[in-house]
Structure formats: structure tokens, C-alpha cells
Amino acid sequence: MASACKSAFVLGYTGETGKALVQALVKDQHFRKVRLIGRRKVELPVEIDSRFEQVVVDFEKLGEHKDAFTGYDVGFCCMGTTRAKAGPAHFVRVDRDYVVESGQLAKDAGCQHFLIVTATGADKNSMFLYNKTKGEAEEMLKEIKFPTLTILKPGLLLCPRVESRFFEEVAKVMFKPITAAFPTRFSVHVEILARAMVHLAKCPPNESVHVLDNKAIHRVATENK
């Protein structure tokens, strides 16, 4: 394995996907430093080493935190909330505006590769707020014109959530027979998603914009265990 050579920051590292990503990065020595950017410091469920640091920013005043994004080759974005938890307006603010504003700061600071987790149904023209917001974020990030932008569109995320989400739990029960029959088509465990993200960051695709659906995420993770 090549020696550690890249630096990265992680947005949304306190969520389930973010936690899995941090765990994957701890196990991988490819990154010489990793900055965890959030609105507060937290106790992480995994022991991090000296390559990692937590940095607190005010997402309502991101322009005052340009330094937090400076000096990093790769940006991972797992940021997101729910409409039920935040309300419609703040949901859009977090899942679209915070994401895009962070992306712009990262690009201006020299970030070469930005990876974002959205969703299978993300579509700026969707009639559903969740899918519409995620789709708008995708399109706005494309306009920033990163050297490389990777968009991962997973299906139903499988993970042991600390905070239960009612509709996700219902969906897991309803789709359990389907996900069992087609394990790579409609769902993905956050550990698999994280493994795919780390590999793609280490070996970026040739396209300036690279989009992976749920099946492609499984394929990348499986081929690079």
C-alpha cells in the first residue's frame, strides 16, 4: 500500500454514515490528516489517532470559517437532517444550503475531489421535498465545477440508528423481503457505503462528475475489500 499522501475533511461525521466513514478512515492509512468539521465536538464511537482533529464551525456563518476548509485534497460530505426533526425550512437549509456553501468554500480553498452522499430518488424536479432538495444540492455542486465531483446515491441505508426514524423503520420492515432477494439493488449498509467512498477518494474516477447508484456503490465496495 502506498504511504499516506492525501488529506481530507468530513462533514456530517456524527450521523450514521459519517460514523461509518470515520471508522473506515481510521483503518486506512492512505490519508495523512483528516479534519472532522461540525457544529460541536462530540465523543466519537471509535478511537481516532493523531491524524484526526475535530473543528467546530457555525454553519450560519460559514464565510467566517474559510480556514476550516483550507489545505485539504478531498472533501467527504455526509451532512443531512430530516424534515420531521428540523422542519421543512431548516431541512433545506442543512441538506442543500450548508452543503453547497461548504462545497464552494472547499473548492475556493483548493479541494480537488468532493464526494457527497445524496439518495436514490434525488431529483431537482421531484414533487417530494426530500428528493427535490437532494437533487438541487447535486445540481448546485455541479455548477461549482470541482476537478472531480462524486455523487453517491444510495438506496435505503441500513444501520443500527441511535435515533430511530419512524418512516425508515417502517420501510425496512416493508422492504425486508425485497432487500433480501435483491441485496444490492434497493439498500446498502453504511459500512459498505463508507468503504466505497474511501476507495473512490483514493482512486478518483476519470470523469469530472461521477454518479454512482446503489448497485454501483455495492460493486465498488465489493471489488475493493
Side-chain angles (χ1 to χ4, degrees):
M1 180 182 293
S3 59
C5 59
K6 287 185 179 179
S7 57
F9 66 81
V10 181
L11 294 163
Y13 68 95
T14 61
E16 299 306 323
T17 299
K19 290 175 185 176
L21 176 59
V22 171
Q23 291 178 331
L25 290 169
V26 167
K27 296 175 183 177
D28 195 299
Q29 297 299 310
H30 184 81
F31 296 88
R32 67 179 186 274
K33 63 177 180 177
V34 180
R35 174 167 285 179
L36 309 176
I37 302 175
R39 59 188 178 89
R40 68 184 188 281
K41 287 189 177 181
V42 301
E43 184 176 346
L44 298 171
V46 61
E47 185 175 347
I48 60 176
D49 55 53
S50 59
R51 294 175 299 143
F52 292 75
E53 66 169 340
Q54 291 190 68
V55 173
V56 175
V57 302
D58 181 349
F59 284 97
E60 287 297 322
K61 300 177 181 177
L62 271 176
E64 299 177 5
H65 300 281
K66 295 178 182 179
D67 290 348
F69 298 87
T70 300
Y72 293 86
D73 309 304
V74 176
F76 294 103
C77 184
C78 310
M79 189 184 300
T81 184
T82 65
R83 176 174 178 169
K85 180 178 179 179
H90 192 61
F91 166 73
V92 174
R93 185 77 179 122
V94 173
D95 282 55
R96 185 191 67 191
D97 299 344
Y98 288 177
V99 167
V100 175
E101 290 169 19
S102 297
Q104 186 64 66
L105 286 178
K107 169 63 163 49
D108 293 344
C111 179
Q112 296 297 300
H113 187 184
F114 194 80
L115 301 93
I116 180 169
V117 177
T118 61
T120 291
D123 181 350
K124 66 177 182 179
N125 297 314
S126 175
M127 64 182 291
F128 300 105
L129 180 66
Y130 181 87
N131 292 342
K132 178 180 177 64
T133 301
K134 294 291 188 181
E136 289 175 342
E138 291 179 355
E139 295 306 313
M140 294 167 78
L141 287 170
K142 290 176 184 177
E143 292 175 2
I144 293 175
K145 299 190 183 303
F146 286 95
T148 305
L149 171 65
T150 297
I151 300 172
L152 298 101
K153 300 166 76 81
L156 181 65
L157 292 176
L158 304 178
C159 57
R161 287 194 184 277
V162 174
E163 180 183 81
S164 180
R165 296 180 178 180
F166 176 74
F167 289 108
E168 283 192 2
E169 294 305 315
V170 171
K172 287 177 184 178
V173 173
M174 291 180 62
F175 285 96
K176 188 173 182 179
I178 299 175
T179 56
F182 305 97
T184 66
R185 187 166 183 180
F186 300 107
S187 63
V188 61
H189 198 282
V190 289
E191 291 180 359
I192 293 174
L193 175 57
R195 189 162 69 242
M197 294 177 75
V198 171
H199 174 74
L200 291 164
K202 291 164 58 177
C203 304
N206 294 325
E207 305 100 319
S208 58
V209 178
H210 186 54
V211 181
L212 293 92
D213 61 13
N214 198 74
K215 190 172 183 179
I217 292 168
H218 275 277
R219 184 179 67 250
V220 170
T222 300
E223 291 174 353
N224 298 280
K225 285 185 177 180

